[in-house]
């Protein structure tokens, strides 16, 4: 099945549109992922290699000996992009990259282990279970505000707000700053690898402001105060014990605020869109609440809120009969892997009772497996269960949907719905 060396293929036109984040290509990238996976499962496209089969993605994503997470700074794609930038853009790119290399998600080896150890205890299923009540309360409050509305946008009203409120509470960040944090996060998220100079300069500005906010507003208020949350306690102790440098501490707040909501927003919005297009599934969710946890897994598989992750090969690696060369940027297409018929029967069918739904790679796999997975699962379950129970007649207000220009985090710009009559829930 080797396709190494193939540099042009009829699919490249569709890939150009998707990887270029053309909003119209975002509506349904899945036929392109299917073709890629079935026809050219290891495909060189410009300065990168795309890998799309479940078994291959799963093997590579955990292979830290030959693949590094520093792909935003090193490797064939990063180099190609860098040389295409003006001097001013190159400076901005280096500054953004230097800050972002302190992220847990972009570090390797010992540094990664150290950063991960600082944060992970606050995200274990047991710790996250302690947040159940807060998540339920915040969800109910947001749903209360929808009562009596003829039409409402789920994205701006619920999908980004709930996860952002929760991670802000965990980090003891003032609730009043929600919009600013959302705006900075979106700007950072749109800068997928500096290939769009407009997005790069926006991300550069956002990073400066976000960083100054954490350093000048959030951290001074936390120093010397008695932490209320486990997460803040862990982070502040790590800094005092020299297990986190000041820049790493700032970056940890930024990555958690960013990753803690941009992704879950897509699970909620794209997941709800999927459900509302499938009346039988929506009914099942309403009538059989026990199905909710598995429904969340199936929706994660089905929508893949993060469509791919990036790596750079640090040594030659063989995959599916092809060879990735050291220095090549590798896209691991989670969205294609999650619809691989070799891994899931009838993968394009939404089946809320699918037994092996949990084998999806939506949270990645291996050393960088999503640290927030238990939290995201709980937030998704709370939202889908409450929506189906309290707004059982909810309908899409339009099929004309618009997508934000961000292919990696395939985000709806808005999801207008008619909530329908509200059903009082027992409290
Ligand atoms: C549905 C929601 C979510 C999805 C689909 C998702 C997806 C992912 C994926 C695919 C990775 C692996 C990245 C890689 O291998 O390069 C990851 C890592 C990560 N996620 Fe999530 N995530 C979600 C929610 C969250 C939440 C709620 C938080 C925090 C509160 C979070 C924080 C992180 C962090 C810090 C990492 C980096 C972990 C590491 O590198 O060791 N995520 N996530």
């Amino acid at each position: 099945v080797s396709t190494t060396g193939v540099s042009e293929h009829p699919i490249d036109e569709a890939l150009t549109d998707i990887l270029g984040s053309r909003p119209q290509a975002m509506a349904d990238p899945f036929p392109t992922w299917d073709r890629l996976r079935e026809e050219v499962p290891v495909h060189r496209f410009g300065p990168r290699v795309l890998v799309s089969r479940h078994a291959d993605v799963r093997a590579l994503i955990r292979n830290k000996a030959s693949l590094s997470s520093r792909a935003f700074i090193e490797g064939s794609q990063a180099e190609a992009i860098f040389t295409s930038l003006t001097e001013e853009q190159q400076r901005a790119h280096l500054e953004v990259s230097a800050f972002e290399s302190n992220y847990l998600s972009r570090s390797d080896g010992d540094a990664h282990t150290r950063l991960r150890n600082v944060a992970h205890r606050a995200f274990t299923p047991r710790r996250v279970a302690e947040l159940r009540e807060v998540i339920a309360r915040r969800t109910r409050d947001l749903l209360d505000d929808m009562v009596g509305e003829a039409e409402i946008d789920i994205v701006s009203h619920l999908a980004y707000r709930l996860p952002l409120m929760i991670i802000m509470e965990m980090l003891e960040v003032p609730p009043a700053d929600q919009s600013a944090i959302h705006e900075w996060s979106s700007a950072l998220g749109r800068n997928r690898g500096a290939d769009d100079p407009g997005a790069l300069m926006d991300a550069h500005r956002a990073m400066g402001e976000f960083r100054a906010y954490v350093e000048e507003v959030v951290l001074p208020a936390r120093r010397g105060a008695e932490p209320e949350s486990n997460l803040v306690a862990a982070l502040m102790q790590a800094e005092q014990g020299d297990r986190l440098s000041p820049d790493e501490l700032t970056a940890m707040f930024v990555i958690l605020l960013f990753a803690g909501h941009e992704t879950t927003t897509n699970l909620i919005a794209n997941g709800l869109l999927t459900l509302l297009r499938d009346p039988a599934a929506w009914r099942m969710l309403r009538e059989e609440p026990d199905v909710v946890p598995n429904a969340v897994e199936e929706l994660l598989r089905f929508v893949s809120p993060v469509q791919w992750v990036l790596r750079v090969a640090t040594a030659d690696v063989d995959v599916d009969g092809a060879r990735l060369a050291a220095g090549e940027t590798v896209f691991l297409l989670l969205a294609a892997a999650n619809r691989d018929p070799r891994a899931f029967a009838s993968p394009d069918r939404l089946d809320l009772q699918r037994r092996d739904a949990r084998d999806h790679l939506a949270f990645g796999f291996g050393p960088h497996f999503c640290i927030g997975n238990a939290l995201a699962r709980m937030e998704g379950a709370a939202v889908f269960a409450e929506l189906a129970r309290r707004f059982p007649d909810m309908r899409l207000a339009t099929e004309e949907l618009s997508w934000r220009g961000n292919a990696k985090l395939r985000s709806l710009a808005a999801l207008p719905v008619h909530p329908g009559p509200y059903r009082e829930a027992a409290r």
Side-chain angles (χ1 to χ4, degrees), residues 104-105 112 116 123 167 259-260 263-264 311 362-364 368 370-371 376:
L104 179 58
S105 47
H112 174 248
R116 193 156 168 121
F123 289 97
I167 189 67
T263 47
T264 315
R311 294 290 188 271
F363 289 123
H368 288 272
C370 178
I371 205 171

Side-chain angles (χ1 to χ4, degrees), residues 61 69 103-107 112 116 123 163 167 170 252 255-257 259-261 263-267 300 304-306 308-311 334 361-365 367-373 375-377 379 408:
I61 203 169
S69 288
Y103 290 170
L104 179 58
S105 47
R106 298 198 181 177
S107 57
H112 174 248
R116 193 156 168 121
F123 289 97
I167 189 67
M170 289 177 79
M252 191 68 95
I255 185 64
L256 289 173
L257 287 166
H261 86 285
T263 47
T264 315
T265 302
N266 294 335
L267 169 65
L300 282 160
S304 298
V306 175
W308 65 75
V309 300
L310 280 193
R311 294 290 188 271
L334 308 179
L361 298 173
F363 289 123
F365 189 69
H368 288 272
F369 184 69
C370 178
I371 205 171
N373 74 86
L375 179 61
R377 285 173 157 137
E379 290 171 351
K408 181 179 178 194

Side-chain angles (χ1 to χ4, degrees), residues 402-416:
S402 53
W403 298 83
R404 279 172 28 191
N406 183 349
K408 181 179 178 194
L409 305 172
R410 186 174 153 257
S411 316
L412 280 161
L415 181 62

Side-chain angles (χ1 to χ4, degrees), residues 3-239:
T3 54
T4 305
V6 175
S7 57
E8 280 187 19
H9 186 277
I11 203 170
D12 288 358
E13 207 176 311
L15 288 173
T16 305
D17 283 349
I18 296 178
L19 299 195
S21 293
R22 306 248 158 85
Q24 67 277 21
M26 299 298 91
D28 191 9
F30 292 98
T32 305
W33 297 151
D34 287 349
R35 242 186 109 185
L36 199 59
R37 187 188 57 237
E38 298 312 315
E39 294 176 22
V40 277
V42 181
H43 180 53
R44 282 205 165 72
F45 175 65
R48 57 187 84 75
V49 187
L50 311 179
V51 178
S52 46
R53 289 198 177 158
H54 190 276
D56 296 338
V57 170
R58 202 173 119 114
L60 292 179
I61 203 169
R62 65 192 299 211
N63 181 350
K64 56 180 181 172
S66 311
L67 292 149
S68 152
S69 288
R70 296 178 51 78
F72 289 86
I73 317 162
E74 294 164 11
S76 53
Q77 176 177 273
E79 283 159 24
I81 289 171
F82 192 73
T83 49
S84 71
L85 299 175
T86 65
E87 245 174 70
E88 187 201 6
Q89 289 162 352
Q90 286 184 342
R91 258 196 315 276
H93 174 61
L94 290 175
E95 276 177 42
V96 174
S97 307
F99 179 70
E100 296 197 326
S101 26
N102 288 313
Y103 290 170
L104 179 58
S105 47
R106 298 198 181 177
S107 57
D108 291 332
D110 292 347
H112 174 248
T113 309
R114 177 173 53 81
L115 293 173
R116 193 156 168 121
N117 283 343
V118 168
H120 98 270
R121 250 172 265 127
F123 289 97
T124 58
R126 195 168 62 88
R127 282 287 182 218
V128 169
E130 295 167 7
L131 299 170
R132 190 182 301 276
E133 257 318 297
V134 181
I135 293 173
R137 198 162 54 239
R138 298 282 171 263
T139 307
R140 285 195 303 256
D141 290 348
L142 289 169
L143 265 55
D144 279 347
D145 294 341
M146 288 165 47
V147 174
E149 297 289 338
E151 184 175 319
I152 198 154
D153 168 25
I154 290 290
V155 173
S156 58
H157 184 75
L158 177 67
Y160 98 76
R161 267 182 218 280
L162 176 76
L164 184 52
M165 283 163 111
I166 301 299
I167 189 67
M168 285 177 69
E169 284 192 41
M170 289 177 79
L171 287 167
E172 299 179 40
V173 169
D177 300 325
Q178 199 184 81
S179 308
I181 291 172
H182 182 53
E183 198 268 313
W184 294 323
S185 301
S186 307
L188 288 177
R190 274 195 303 273
N191 182 37
R192 300 164 303 276
D195 54 344
D196 169 357
L200 166 64
M201 298 316 283
D202 240 17
H204 183 248
R205 174 198 50 83
M207 183 207 75
E209 291 173 15
F210 205 160
R211 179 178 186 157
Y213 169 75
V214 172
E215 284 169 354
E216 291 160 24
V217 178
V218 176
L219 291 175
R222 300 277 60 85
R223 290 208 170 89
E226 198 55 48
E228 283 173 28
S229 90
N230 304 312
L231 181 54
V232 171
L235 297 180
M236 301 313 280
Q237 276 163 18
E239 189 205 24

